[in-house]
Amino acid sequence: MRVLPLFLLAAALVPAHSEEGPASPALPLRIWVDEFFFAGGETVLLREAVAQSAGAAVVSGTTNNRVFQLKSYQLAEHVDVMWTGQKGCYEAFKRRLNTSHAVSCVPGTSAVTAKAALVTSLAAAYGQAAWSILPQSFRLPQQYSELAAQLKEDERSGASGMWVLKEDVHRGKGVGVVTAHQALFRALERAPDGGRRHVLAQRFLGQQYLVQGRPFYVRLWVVLMGADPARAHLFDGGVAVFGQRQRQGQAADSLIVNLWTQDRAAAAPWSLRQLEQHMAAESGSDEVPRRLRRQIHVAVAASLAAALPAVRQSSGRLAGFQGGSFEVLGVDFLVDAQLRPWLVEVNRMPSLARKVVACADNSSTSSGSTEGGSGGCKRDVPFDQEKERFVGALLRLLTERHVQHASLAQQAQRVLQDTSDAAAEGELPPCLSAIQLHQLLEMRVEQAAAQRLGFVSLTPLMYKSLACMAARPVPGSDSSSSSNSSSSACDVLAELVPRAPASQQVCTAPAAANEPLLARLGGLTSRLRLEAVSLLHRLWHPAARRQPAQAQASGPYQRRESDKRLLEWMQQGSPSLDTPQALHDFCALGAASVAAE
């Protein structure tokens, strides 16, 4: 795509946004790609989807150089979608955008995309229930004392297992499986730059569901849109990425599945549907994969809800944020031997490049061995197919939003004017601004389009999770009333029934009354070693004496009135708000909800 130098830009670009309103829906969706933010091949599928859109979308420009060329956020009047990196997004939101713009990130999602922040956010949102979404975890170095106490308790109960130490790096690096003693000894290691090497200690899932003797993780894609109202759409597809075939006596870290180092020729990824068909055939029941899906939906929605306080706080500080943002997140799950999913990671800007690099349009050459056999380009590899389907569906979703935007804005203005006239005669005044009503009208249309395009709406589950967060008892409170309230509001998490800690599902060794004396002495020695290691670290490392992260000790989330109203509206089937009476009913619904609380 041609990139215009500065001195030709003004003459070459024709303004398409006027001060009076958004662009005409007759125009194609114009996407500007800040290519320099992305690795090689990351935008190929987007460009292919645009080429196949029959003119509904166009790549209107590309920026390859971060210094000497204009970026998407500097061309707001001539762009509908800014496909850019995180820094580009924040620059965009410092500028004046109109409601038709779509920017490819949502401020504040680092609350779940950073490894340690994910743990803090979930623990702050749900307390101990967070460990029904992801394996029990401790931030380092802040929670070293809590980690030490947990390891000692595990040792006393005979439930000691392996742990995973994680560094704050990506692409499968910085992950190691260690024993409890090693976890305590290495938790406060220094990195080469002088900082702390590890940010997280997490229980290791030793009993995983294996497919043909291989462990795997499931990669899914979810699109988070806006902030208030926030919407979430999970793509109804995904891939299972396999690791090493397990053998007797193999080291525990062989269960770690790493996309970046695995031999994909030996174990080609499956589509999510292939995995579900395998599970159904092996169990003899279609209910097994259906239950897995439901649990995944709950876990993803609850995780996104935990990020919303940070998202809203971040977006509120950006003058140009107008709700028209979207962010693609890659969500990874492990599946244990009980066929229960465990959230592992939420990835910001997940790779959308093909993994088969022998295709001509990926500008790579084959060395003679791809998943397709002896050279050439095989285009039916599930990993690439699922990505192609997802990117195509996302582009169509953004295109439909673009087409509907202007007419829905006019509809919102008309309904509000009619409602204001009625309010002047003594009726209930409107509870929404024109922008808010416009967003709700768009949300209703967007959900229908997303379902048609192969997405599952997680928005209702996300707002139910906000209700769960608001009902969580204040730390230190043990009143039965608050406990009952929390239980009732958190029905959304019922699919993720809390189980015994992972360490009790793996390597369980309960003490017996008649166990040999040497075995008892061995257990005592092990506990003494844990005591000694943790004590020495407290003496040598001041960080080991810190208190838990403050976010985990905070009170329950203060749910907004708009959240309560929106949840009740969705529970009624999201009826149309295109008439004054419908808007009147919507506002009355919210008032009743607030009064009930």
Side-chain angles (χ1 to χ4, degrees):
M1 182 61 61
R2 185 172 54 132
V3 179
L4 299 176
L6 293 175
F7 67 89
L8 291 178
L9 186 64
L13 290 176
V14 178
H17 291 263
S18 68
E19 294 182 358
E20 287 74 21
S24 166
L27 294 175
L29 179 73
R30 298 164 302 169
I31 305 172
W32 193 285
V33 182
D34 289 333
E35 191 77 48
F36 64 89
F37 279 116
F38 303 94
E42 289 279 354
T43 63
V44 168
L45 294 180
L46 171 65
R47 294 176 183 277
E48 289 181 359
V50 169
Q52 296 167 10
S53 70
V58 296
V59 176
S60 58
T62 301
T63 301
N64 294 303
N65 188 300
R66 70 175 64 239
V67 178
F68 298 109
Q69 294 175 337
L70 291 177
K71 288 71 171 179
S72 62
Y73 49 84
Q74 295 169 318
L75 300 165
E77 291 189 352
H78 314 291
V79 178
D80 301 309
V81 175
M82 304 175 196
W83 199 276
T84 186
Q86 188 176 41
K87 290 183 179 179
C89 290
Y90 278 86
E91 287 297 325
F93 291 130
K94 292 177 184 177
R95 290 162 167 77
R96 183 177 178 83
L97 303 180
N98 65 42
T99 57
S100 69
H101 284 120
V103 186
S104 64
C105 78
V106 176
T109 55
S110 58
V112 290
T113 58
K115 291 182 175 70
L118 173 63
V119 170
T120 298
S121 297
L122 287 176
Y126 308 110
Q128 290 298 311
W131 315 137
S132 64
I133 299 172
L134 79 169
Q136 187 180 19
S137 307
F138 296 90
R139 290 194 64 171
L140 298 174
Q142 298 95 325
Q143 292 187 292
Y144 181 85
S145 296
E146 288 74 12
L147 171 64
Q150 183 64 61
L151 293 178
K152 294 171 192 175
E153 177 60 32
D154 289 350
E155 192 70 39
R156 281 192 294 270
S157 64
S160 182
M162 306 294 284
W163 286 76
V164 179
L165 293 179
K166 293 186 176 182
E167 301 177 35
D168 194 18
V169 294
H170 301 286
R171 297 197 169 188
K173 299 178 181 178
V175 178
V177 182
V178 296
T179 65
H181 301 94
Q182 291 170 328
L184 274 188
F185 188 77
R186 296 181 52 195
L188 300 179
E189 282 181 336
R190 290 283 185 181
D193 62 2
R196 299 291 172 187
R197 179 183 297 277
H198 305 293
V199 298
L200 207 63
Q202 189 173 74
R203 286 194 183 275
F204 175 65
L205 296 181
Q207 283 189 343
Q208 296 180 26
Y209 178 68
L210 303 181
V211 172
Q212 299 173 357
R214 295 180 182 273
F216 65 92
Y217 75 84
V218 176
R219 161 60 61 89
L220 305 168
W221 298 282
V222 63
V223 183
L224 179 64
M225 307 187 78
D228 193 8
R231 294 93 65 205
H233 308 294
L234 181 70
F235 183 59
D236 192 21
V239 291
V241 179
F242 297 100
Q244 301 177 36
R245 188 182 300 278
Q246 297 301 291
R247 296 177 177 83
Q248 189 69 28
Q250 205 161 3
D253 59 5
S254 66
L255 284 168
I256 298 292
V257 184
N258 186 346
L259 173 65
W260 304 96
T261 60
Q262 74 168 99
D263 182 1
R264 292 194 302 275
W270 284 3
S271 69
L272 182 59
R273 286 176 177 78
Q274 284 178 287
L275 177 64
E276 290 175 330
Q277 290 169 359
H278 175 84
M279 287 180 166
E282 193 170 67
S283 65
S285 171
D286 290 335
E287 177 56 25
V288 169
R290 281 198 295 266
R291 184 177 66 247
L292 181 71
R293 282 252 191 175
R294 289 195 304 268
Q295 292 175 327
I296 285 175
H297 293 172
V298 170
V300 175
S303 301
L304 295 178
L308 281 187
V311 165
R312 289 170 172 176
Q313 185 179 45
S314 296
S315 60
R317 292 195 294 258
L318 296 166
F321 185 82
Q322 33 63 46
S325 63
F326 67 97
E327 183 159 354
V328 176
L329 301 171
V331 189
D332 295 341
F333 284 88
L334 294 178
V335 180
D336 69 16
Q338 286 75 41
L339 297 177
R340 185 173 182 277
W342 293 89
L343 178 65
V344 177
E345 200 168 15
V346 180
N347 298 276
R348 180 179 62 85
M349 291 182 65
S351 173
L352 294 178
R354 282 198 178 91
K355 292 303 173 188
V356 177
V357 294
C359 300
D361 53 10
N362 249 25
S363 66
S364 299
T365 58
S366 172
S367 60
S369 62
T370 69
E371 285 99 329
S374 56
C377 173
K378 184 173 181 179
R379 298 296 297 271
D380 59 351
V381 176
F383 204 114
D384 296 342
Q385 278 189 319
E386 294 297 290
K387 283 187 179 181
E388 290 170 8
R389 289 179 56 232
F390 166 69
V391 174
L394 173 60
L395 178 65
R396 289 192 294 275
L397 184 63
L398 295 174
T399 302
E400 292 204 18
R401 175 188 180 273
H402 172 69
V403 170
Q404 297 280 348
H405 182 84
S407 62
L408 291 176
Q410 294 170 0
Q411 187 181 43
Q413 292 281 4
R414 176 181 55 78
V415 172
L416 273 180
Q417 182 59 52
D418 293 345
T419 305
S420 297
D421 293 343
E425 300 176 6
E427 297 291 335
L428 185 71
C431 58
L432 298 172
S433 68
I435 291 179
Q436 290 171 327
L437 178 57
H438 180 200
Q439 288 177 330
L440 288 183
L441 293 174
E442 276 195 325
M443 176 178 168
R444 189 170 181 271
V445 173
E446 175 188 289
Q447 286 183 325
Q451 184 176 7
R452 187 174 67 255
L453 293 169
F455 292 91
V456 176
S457 175
L458 299 184
T459 308
L461 281 174
M462 190 165 61
Y463 279 84
K464 287 181 181 179
S465 298
L466 286 179
C468 173
M469 291 162 56
R472 186 171 73 83
V474 176
S477 169
D478 56 358
S479 66
S480 59
S481 60
S482 63
S483 176
N484 292 337
S485 172
S486 176
S487 175
S488 172
C490 290
D491 287 345
V492 65
L493 299 180
E495 284 284 348
L496 303 175
V497 180
R499 299 187 180 192
S503 62
Q504 295 179 16
Q505 301 170 19
V506 186
C507 306
T508 304
N514 60 348
E515 67 180 344
L517 177 60
L518 287 178
R520 292 191 219 177
L521 289 175
L524 177 61
T525 302
S526 183
R527 289 194 290 274
L528 289 174
R529 287 176 60 199
L530 284 174
E531 290 284 359
V533 171
S534 62
L535 177 61
L536 288 173
H537 271 65
R538 284 191 182 91
L539 293 174
W540 292 343
H541 300 282
R545 299 192 293 270
R546 293 182 187 172
Q547 296 299 312
Q550 185 62 35
Q552 297 199 32
S554 62
Y557 170 69
Q558 299 299 314
R559 197 158 57 119
R560 298 183 178 186
E561 181 180 333
S562 58
D563 293 338
K564 304 169 189 175
R565 181 184 295 117
L566 196 60
L567 178 57
E568 291 207 26
W569 178 63
M570 287 186 288
Q571 288 175 332
Q572 293 188 355
S574 302
S576 177
L577 302 177
D578 57 355
T579 66
Q581 182 59 47
L583 185 56
H584 177 279
D585 293 343
F586 177 81
C587 293
L589 176 72
S593 173
V594 174
E597 293 196 5

